């Protein structure tokens, strides 16, 4: 279809395909999100909102020595002049820049309530005040000396920097995270001293490898401390490729209370874990008996973190308790590393550690050259004026006479002393008494000093080697200004397989799992002798009754081909109606439960589809680790049966029956399977597994079980059509 141009005379109707219109507009939205909101610039590590906040505060002269101003004033300045978005998003970004538990090197000095590690939000912007920190000043240093490019603001009333000069590698120092359209970024914080050491290594040896750099930057350094238990090889791979992750654990110690009694004291939290929510989660684990080793948890924190964990009994080893909690709670988290950034040209790229540091150093070189050129222009202008002053000093009386007596002193001065127009204007703008006070030594001293500075600057801009030496010197000064000890300990990777799983400490008690037709599940203690006495919600009734133990895993098979895994110890008590099964697993609304089994390690299951295909699956392969379950069958699942015999009997929807040896079915982990029975029309109605010695049974219309002594008359090969079954045979169960 041809795309027509907009109609004349100011018409606004454009005739174009919907697909073209949507794709063009969505692409524009995606690019805007990526470049203007979600991804940081590799050079200064900022997204536009953070850059605009710092620049606005710089323009307001909120330096560390100045008095703090209301955050509402800063937010208004940013919103009105630079950032065309709501005040809430701007204030949220400003608050994060001030939080010492969120930023490794805070860039805003906040006064008032700026939130805490418990997850409490900051006070309203009208109550809080702020100013820049020394670290922020280092990032802005040189911005008024033409160090970076500027662009018009959104309303064309002013200009804003495209990037900040960035005196230190802020991208890696404070980290960044964001979600764009089709891509995301997650960069952990690092120690500035280590980053600068790595930069110095790159300046000395540009061919240094990532492994060489990791000798100086062994891993992230989070503001909340903690212990990183990721292996060296894994961290090296993440820094090499720009993608990976690091496991971070809370720091803890054992406090001896005497007489064999002890407790755990947690002193440092994993990064971005809210303490209050962690305590709630631990208390919930205790209440629902999901943390069998933990007896109690309480918070005794003041300014420092002090979380008390008490064991169930004194015989438990502290390491065993903590390893179980690391698995069950956010006392251990995995921080993803995805170093997706905008490069100097504004293109999204995933960069490794070396690429990020190299981009920072290249940016610093450009800043150095631009600042040097800016200074050269001003030194040359001042030297030009000083040359005119030297002439004035040598001919002071004549200059004064010309100024006092001539009608056009400017033209006379230019003609008499061969001055430029700029020099003549400067002399005429200078008061006579100041001219009288000029001393030749003062002029000569300033002239010589500036001449030397000019020579050094020109030598610097013409020599790449001198530029890198100057950058090295600047970085060393920054290192001394920001140096701080590492907070996160880099430990060896922990092999959790050496520890006993928490499930091993769950008491083994007999239970009966009760699942209703409407999907409410619960566990009654012991054996249910009379199912008719069970109570259900109005209009609901019993669907499955499964004997099990609290240590068992339940396999829940759904008609969409998935098998879900639920710990029997996690089921609600049998006293009430239980809880909806769909809250425990991600079961599709259209899917139905077709069976519930207690997992038997080493067992085998017969999987059959409604289309008449099936296979044998090892039970251990059907266990799922996630709420979404495990896709076992490709197609609509009809039955999941435990293999307890050596023959299979099938009934088609055409009421024809076939029996064949179980050995004819293949064993596989997942798939479509092989044909069980052939049908001209319809599909499989029911299936069972039985032992040839005892023979099969089937259920008649009245619910009674009937023997099938002559079953061998229906014996055949798998995938056969079968023949009409005994009178009344419609299903086996």
């Amino acid at each position: 279809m041809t795309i027509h141009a907009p109609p004349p005379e100011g018409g606004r109707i454009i005739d174009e395909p919907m697909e073209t219109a949507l794709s063009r507009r969505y692409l524009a939205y995606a690019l805007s999100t990526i470049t203007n909101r979600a991804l940081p610039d590799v050079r200064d590590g900022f997204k536009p909102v953070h850059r605009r906040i710092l620049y606005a505060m710089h323009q307001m002269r909120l330096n560390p020595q100045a008095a703090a101003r209301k955050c509402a004033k800063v937010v208004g300045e940013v919103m009105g002049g630079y950032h065309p978005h709501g005040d809430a998003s701007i204030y949220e970004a400003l608050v994060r820049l001030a939080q010492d538990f969120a930023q490794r090197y805070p860039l805003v000095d906040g006064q008032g309530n700026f939130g805490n590690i418990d997850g409490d939000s900051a006070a309203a912007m009208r109550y809080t005040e702020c100013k820049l920190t020394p670290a922020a000043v280092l990032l802005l240093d040189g911005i008024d000396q033409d160090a970076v490019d500027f662009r018009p603001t959104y309303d064309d009333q002013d200009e804003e920097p495209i990037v900040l000069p960035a005196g230190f590698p802020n991208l890696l120092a404070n980290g960044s995270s964001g979600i764009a359209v089709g891509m995301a970024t997650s960069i952990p914080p690092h120690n500035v001293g280590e980053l600068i050491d790595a930069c110095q290594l790159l300046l000395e040896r540009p061919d240094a490898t990532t492994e060489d750099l990791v000798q100086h930057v062994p891993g992230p350094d989070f503001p909340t401390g903690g212990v990183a238990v990721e292996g060296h090889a894994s961290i090296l791979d993440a820094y090499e490729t720009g993608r990976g992750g690091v496991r971070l654990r809370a720091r803890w110690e054992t406090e001896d209370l005497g007489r064999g009694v002890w407790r755990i004291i947690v002193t440092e939290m994993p990064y971005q874990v809210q303490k209050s929510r962690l305590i709630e989660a631990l208390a919930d684990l205790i209440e629902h008996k999901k943390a069998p080793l933990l007896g109690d948890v309480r918070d005794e924190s003041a300014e420092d973190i002090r979380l008390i964990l008490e064991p169930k009994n004194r015989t438990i080893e502290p390491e065993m308790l903590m390893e179980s909690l690391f698995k069950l709670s956010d006392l251990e988290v995995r921080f993803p590393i995805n170093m997706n950034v905008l490069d100097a040209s504004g293109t999204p790229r995933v960069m490794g550690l070396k690429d990020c540091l190299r981009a920072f150093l290249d940016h610093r070189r450009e800043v150095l050259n631009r600042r040097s050129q800016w200074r050269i222009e001003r030194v040359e202008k001042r030297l030009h004026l000083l040359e005119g002053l030297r002439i004035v000093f040598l001919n002071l009386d004549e200059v004064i006479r010309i100024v006092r007596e001539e009608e056009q002193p400017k033209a006379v001065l230019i003609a008499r002393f061969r001055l430029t127009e700029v020099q003549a204007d400067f002399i005429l703008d200078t008061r006579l008494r100041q001219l009288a006070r000029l001393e030749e030594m003062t002029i000569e001293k300033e002239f010589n000093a500036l001449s030397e500075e000019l020579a050094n600057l020109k030598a610097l801009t013409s020599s790449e080697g001198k530029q890198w030496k100057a950058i090295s010197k600047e970085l060393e000064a920054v290192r001394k200004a920001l140096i701080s000890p590492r907070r996160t300990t880099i430990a060896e990777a922990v092999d959790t397989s050496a520890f006993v799983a928490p499930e091993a400490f769950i008491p083994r008690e007999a239970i009966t799992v009760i699942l209703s037709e409407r999907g409410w599940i619960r566990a009654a203690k012991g054996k249910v002798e009379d199912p008719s006495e069970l109570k259900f919600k109005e209009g609901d009734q019993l669907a499955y009754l499964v004997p099990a133990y609290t240590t068992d895993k339940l396999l829940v098979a759904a008609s969409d081909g998935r098998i879900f895994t639920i710990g029997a110890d996690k089921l609600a008590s049998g006293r009430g109606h239980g809880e909806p099964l769909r809250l425990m697993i991600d079961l599709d609304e259209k899917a139905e439960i077709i069976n519930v089994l207690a997992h038997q390690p080493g067992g085998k299951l017969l999987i059959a589809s409604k289309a008449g295909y099936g296979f044998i699956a090892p039970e251990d392969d059907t266990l799922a680790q996630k709420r979404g379950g495990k896709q076992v069958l490709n197609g609509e699942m009809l039955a999941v049966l435990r293999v307890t015999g050596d023959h299979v009997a099938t009934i088609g929807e055409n009421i024809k029956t076939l029996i064949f040896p179980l050995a004819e079915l293949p064993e596989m982990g997942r798939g479509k399977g092989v044909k069980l029975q052939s049908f001209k029309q319809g599909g499989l109605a029911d299936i069972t597994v039985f032992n040839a010695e005892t023979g099969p049974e089937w259920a008649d219309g009245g619910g009674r079980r009937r023997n099938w002594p002559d079953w061998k008359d229906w014996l055949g090969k798998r995938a056969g059509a079968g023949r009409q079954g005994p009178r009344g045979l419609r299903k086996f169960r």
Side-chain angles (χ1 to χ4, degrees):
M1 181 183 292
T2 304
I3 299 177
H4 301 284
E9 301 178 358
R12 301 182 61 186
I13 298 176
I14 300 175
D15 184 10
E16 65 177 338
M18 177 65 75
E19 181 181 355
T20 304
L22 286 177
S23 62
R24 183 158 50 84
R25 286 161 175 78
Y26 191 75
L27 179 61
Y29 164 72
L31 291 175
S32 174
T33 303
I34 291 168
T35 58
N36 295 325
R37 189 181 304 175
L39 299 189
D41 193 297
V42 69
R43 295 168 291 179
D44 63 0
F46 285 126
K47 303 174 188 177
V49 63
H50 304 110
R51 191 179 299 117
R52 289 164 177 165
I53 289 171
L54 294 187
Y55 181 65
M57 293 178 71
H58 169 74
Q59 292 294 88
M60 296 172 68
R61 302 185 185 281
L62 294 179
N63 54 58
Q65 294 76 33
R69 298 286 296 275
K70 287 285 187 182
C71 290
K73 174 74 173 177
V74 175
V75 171
E77 187 74 17
V78 174
M79 182 170 59
Y82 306 104
H83 199 62
H85 298 280
D87 58 348
S89 63
I90 298 172
Y91 184 53
E92 183 180 340
L94 187 151
V95 165
R96 183 170 173 80
L97 291 175
Q99 293 174 333
D100 58 0
F101 54 87
Q103 298 282 295
R104 182 62 178 83
Y105 299 92
L107 303 177
V108 172
D109 182 1
Q111 298 181 15
N113 176 15
F114 276 78
N116 55 37
I117 200 170
D118 274 339
D120 298 331
S121 58
M125 68 181 82
R126 61 183 178 272
Y127 300 121
T128 56
E129 298 180 343
C130 66
K131 59 181 179 178
L132 295 172
T133 63
V137 173
L138 291 173
L139 294 174
L140 291 160
D141 188 26
I143 199 167
D144 298 324
Q145 299 174 4
D146 193 35
V148 294
D149 288 330
F150 280 69
R151 65 184 168 203
T153 55
Y154 68 92
D155 57 1
D156 289 329
Q157 298 297 311
D158 204 346
E159 287 190 328
E160 62 173 332
I162 294 176
V163 66
L164 298 187
F168 62 90
N170 178 64
L171 174 74
L172 295 171
N174 276 320
S176 183
S177 62
I179 300 175
V181 178
M183 59 180 64
T185 185
S186 179
I187 304 171
H190 293 77
N191 188 284
V192 160
E194 296 174 354
L195 293 174
I196 290 180
D197 287 343
C199 288
Q200 299 285 24
L201 177 63
L202 276 179
L203 293 178
E204 294 175 11
R205 293 168 45 203
D207 60 341
T209 64
T210 304
E211 189 165 2
D212 297 329
L213 296 176
V214 170
Q215 300 301 318
H216 297 281
V217 187
D221 187 23
F222 297 97
T224 54
V227 181
V229 293
E230 199 69 32
H232 172 78
S234 179
I235 292 179
L236 177 61
D237 181 66
Y239 283 152
E240 183 73 46
T241 62
R243 298 184 187 274
V246 57
R247 281 192 298 157
L248 185 66
R249 291 182 167 187
R251 192 183 302 277
W252 60 278
E253 58 189 31
T254 304
E255 184 176 87
D256 189 1
L257 302 178
R259 297 184 179 180
V261 181
W262 54 271
R263 61 184 182 182
I264 298 293
I265 312 295
V266 175
T267 57
E268 291 179 2
M269 301 283 294
Y271 185 52
Q272 294 181 335
V273 172
Q274 296 180 2
K275 178 161 61 66
S276 59
R277 291 189 179 180
L278 174 64
I279 294 171
E280 290 176 6
L282 291 173
D284 187 65
L285 290 175
I286 295 173
E287 181 180 355
H288 292 87
K289 299 180 180 180
K290 296 179 181 179
L293 307 184
L294 182 62
D296 190 20
V297 57
R298 63 179 181 274
D299 187 13
E300 295 183 357
S301 303
E303 292 184 1
D304 297 329
I305 301 295
R306 183 177 171 84
L307 197 61
I308 309 298
L309 305 176
E310 295 187 353
K312 197 79 170 180
N313 57 66
R314 67 180 68 181
T315 60
I316 300 170
E317 292 293 330
E319 291 78 10
M320 187 72 70
L321 169 61
M322 292 307 296
E323 285 298 329
S324 68
L325 295 180
F326 287 147
K327 290 182 178 180
L328 296 169
S329 72
D330 281 346
L331 283 170
E332 176 183 306
V333 297
R334 182 171 180 82
F335 189 92
I337 297 177
N338 181 15
M339 299 167 74
N340 194 5
V341 296
L342 300 176
D343 63 15
S345 64
T347 305
R349 281 180 54 199
V350 177
M351 293 187 174
L353 175 64
K354 182 177 179 179
D355 291 336
C356 289
L357 294 178
R358 187 78 258 171
F360 165 74
L361 290 174
D362 291 341
H363 175 59
R364 285 305 298 169
R365 184 187 174 198
E366 182 180 354
V367 168
L368 177 68
N369 283 327
R370 293 185 60 152
R371 291 180 66 181
S372 299
Q373 194 59 46
W374 178 88
R375 181 60 181 164
I376 285 174
E377 293 173 0
R378 277 147 185 77
V379 169
E380 287 178 338
K381 183 178 179 180
R382 180 61 181 171
L383 285 172
H384 184 61
L385 297 176
L386 288 176
E387 287 177 354
L389 286 179
R390 292 167 76 185
I391 295 173
V392 167
F393 185 82
L394 294 174
N395 303 277
L396 186 57
D397 293 337
E398 180 65 13
V399 170
I400 292 174
R401 186 194 67 77
I402 292 172
V403 171
R404 294 179 63 182
E405 298 178 1
E406 297 291 339
E407 292 184 2
Q408 294 183 339
K410 179 178 177 180
V412 175
L413 285 174
I414 292 174
R416 174 75 176 80
F417 300 109
R418 296 181 181 178
L419 299 176
T420 64
E421 190 172 343
V422 174
Q423 289 173 324
D425 286 336
F426 180 69
I427 292 169
L428 291 174
D429 290 341
T430 305
R431 294 180 181 180
L432 289 176
R433 61 183 179 182
Q434 288 179 317
L435 289 174
R437 291 176 182 174
L438 291 174
E439 298 180 6
E440 184 177 10
M441 292 297 293
T442 304
I443 296 174
E444 287 297 324
K445 186 176 180 181
E446 184 180 358
F447 186 86
N448 293 334
L450 290 177
S451 298
E452 183 180 354
E453 182 183 354
L454 181 62
N456 291 334
L457 288 171
K458 288 186 174 180
L460 177 65
T461 56
S462 62
S463 172
E464 183 178 345
K466 289 185 177 181
Q467 292 168 15
W468 291 127
K469 284 184 179 179
I471 291 172
S472 176
K473 192 173 181 180
E474 289 177 353
L475 288 176
E476 191 57 37
V478 171
R479 187 182 190 280
K480 291 180 180 178
L482 295 181
I483 190 169
S484 64
R486 166 173 277 277
R487 298 178 186 175
T488 301
T489 302
I490 306 297
E492 294 295 326
V494 177
D495 182 13
T496 56
S497 62
F499 296 91
V500 179
E503 291 82 356
F505 295 89
I506 299 174
R508 180 179 170 83
E509 298 175 353
I511 58 172
T512 300
V513 178
I514 304 163
L515 178 63
S516 73
E517 287 190 348
R518 291 187 176 179
W520 288 76
I521 192 169
R522 62 188 191 264
K525 290 186 177 180
K527 183 180 179 181
V528 175
E529 299 293 344
D530 187 1
S532 63
E533 295 182 357
L534 294 173
K535 303 296 183 182
F536 296 94
K537 288 178 177 287
E538 185 176 352
D540 201 2
Q541 61 183 357
L542 179 65
Y544 295 95
L545 199 67
V546 183
Y549 290 92
T550 51
T551 53
D552 285 342
K553 298 286 187 184
L554 295 179
L555 301 178
V556 180
S559 59
D560 60 0
R562 289 187 293 171
I563 295 182
F564 303 87
T565 304
I566 302 174
D569 61 303
K570 296 177 173 60
L571 299 180
S573 168
R575 295 179 180 177
H577 295 121
E579 60 180 326
L581 180 61
R582 293 180 186 270
L583 294 180
M584 308 177 71
I585 58 177
D586 292 336
L587 181 64
D588 190 270
E589 292 184 1
K590 297 180 180 179
E592 298 179 355
I593 302 300
I594 60 172
N595 203 0
V596 180
L597 302 167
H599 170 59
Q600 292 182 2
K604 297 183 186 299
L605 299 175
L606 171 60
I607 312 291
S609 70
K610 198 166 185 179
Y613 291 82
F615 59 92
I616 304 298
E619 271 195 53
D620 295 339
D621 291 351
T622 63
L623 288 173
Q625 302 296 327
K626 298 180 179 179
R627 285 170 52 96
K630 178 174 286 190
Q631 193 75 38
V632 177
L633 179 73
N634 300 332
E636 184 178 357
M637 193 150 60
L638 174 73
V640 175
L641 306 174
R642 177 160 288 118
V643 175
T644 56
D646 49 21
H647 279 72
V648 177
T650 60
I651 305 175
E653 291 178 344
N654 57 7
I655 319 179
K656 287 190 177 182
T657 302
L658 175 68
I659 299 177
F660 58 87
L662 182 71
E664 294 186 11
L665 289 181
E667 185 172 315
M668 50 199 294
R670 59 168 293 177
K672 179 181 179 181
V674 296
K675 183 174 287 189
L676 302 173
Q677 184 178 351
S678 296
F679 314 102
K680 287 185 178 180
Q681 59 182 6
L684 188 65
D686 201 3
I687 187 171
T688 188
V689 181
F690 66 93
N691 201 312
E693 294 182 2
T694 58
E697 290 183 344
W698 53 279
D700 61 15
R704 293 173 297 177
R705 304 296 297 174
R706 298 184 60 175
N707 293 326
W708 192 357
D710 55 345
W711 62 269
K712 291 184 179 180
D713 293 342
W714 281 263
L715 195 62
K717 291 288 187 181
R718 177 187 60 78
R723 66 190 187 90
Q724 192 78 23
R727 182 183 297 273
L729 175 59
R730 295 292 183 272
K731 61 179 182 178
F732 296 111
R733 292 161 287 167

